[in-house]
Amino acid sequence: MKCINYLGAVLLGLTAACHAPTDQKIKQDSTVKDSGTFTEKKKPTAGPSELIVAGKQVGKISLGQDMEEVFKLLGKPDEGDAAMGSALGIWYGKDTLTGKKDPVVIFSSYRDSNMVVKSVKQISVGAQGFQTAEGIRMGTRLSALLAAYPSLKKTETYLNSKDKTDTLRVYDSIAEGIAFDVQSDTCTAITVHVKNRAANAVYLPVHPDWKRL
């Protein structure tokens, strides 16, 4: 049974961006000011399959959702771990821009004491296709995360066991139900969890190269 360590990570699979003609792209992605001296980029928008909602969902996967429904959507997980009625499932997609594997990581446990139905408790993603309605996504700077979520607090720090200079920090807005993995002051993964319950409250180790400090 594989243990994988680092809260970060994730993805159902990136849908390749469609390239519109240059003139259409300018009309869609920017607005020309009356002065004509500069353009202001609009915030990118996410469709229903890529939208991240704090304390609620990531794309088509929602907190509290029956895991049987998740399996119908995503199929059998590529990797995982389980213990004491809880499970961690990992589905690998491929980032069409970088070629690297990007997983969706879903933590689940029994919905109630009947121990019959397992439901989604936490979801982590780490690919460019996913973002919040405000445009917070992978690649967003830490300063922008703190501005968008003033209640964010640093809750975890990890050290790469292979590269001792590489650290990963987790910033969690516990009340809102959203956490961010941050490396080099840049968001590398987003986790949606139950409101008022810290992301690490349902954590299972995810990647052997990272050690919690």
Side-chain angles (χ1 to χ4, degrees), residues 35 37 65 88 92 118 130 134 155-156 163 167 199 203 213:
S35 64
T37 57
Q65 188 171 5
L88 187 73
Y92 288 109
K118 282 191 174 181
F130 292 93
E134 298 77 23
T155 57
E156 301 285 342
D163 181 356
T167 58
Y203 178 79
L213 298 180

Side-chain angles (χ1 to χ4, degrees), residues 81-151:
D81 195 6
M84 302 296 290
S86 298
L88 187 73
I90 303 170
W91 288 260
Y92 288 109
K94 190 173 183 179
D95 189 321
T96 56
L97 298 179
T98 66
K100 73 174 184 176
K101 291 196 300 184
D102 281 316
V104 162
V105 180
I106 298 178
F107 178 89
S108 62
S109 63
Y110 285 114
R111 179 174 291 172
D112 51 40
S113 58
N114 291 325
M115 301 180 70
V116 176
V117 176
K118 282 191 174 181
S119 61
V120 177
K121 302 299 183 184
Q122 187 165 293
I123 314 157
S124 293
V125 293
Q128 292 295 334
F130 292 93
Q131 61 185 38
T132 69
E134 298 77 23
I136 299 297
R137 60 194 187 281
M138 271 48 70
T140 297
R141 301 292 291 177
L142 176 59
S143 58
L145 297 178
L146 295 172
Y149 299 93
S151 60

Side-chain angles (χ1 to χ4, degrees), residues 13 37 41 46 55 60 86 153 186 198:
T37 57
K41 290 184 178 180
K60 296 180 179 180
S86 298
K153 302 293 183 184
T186 301

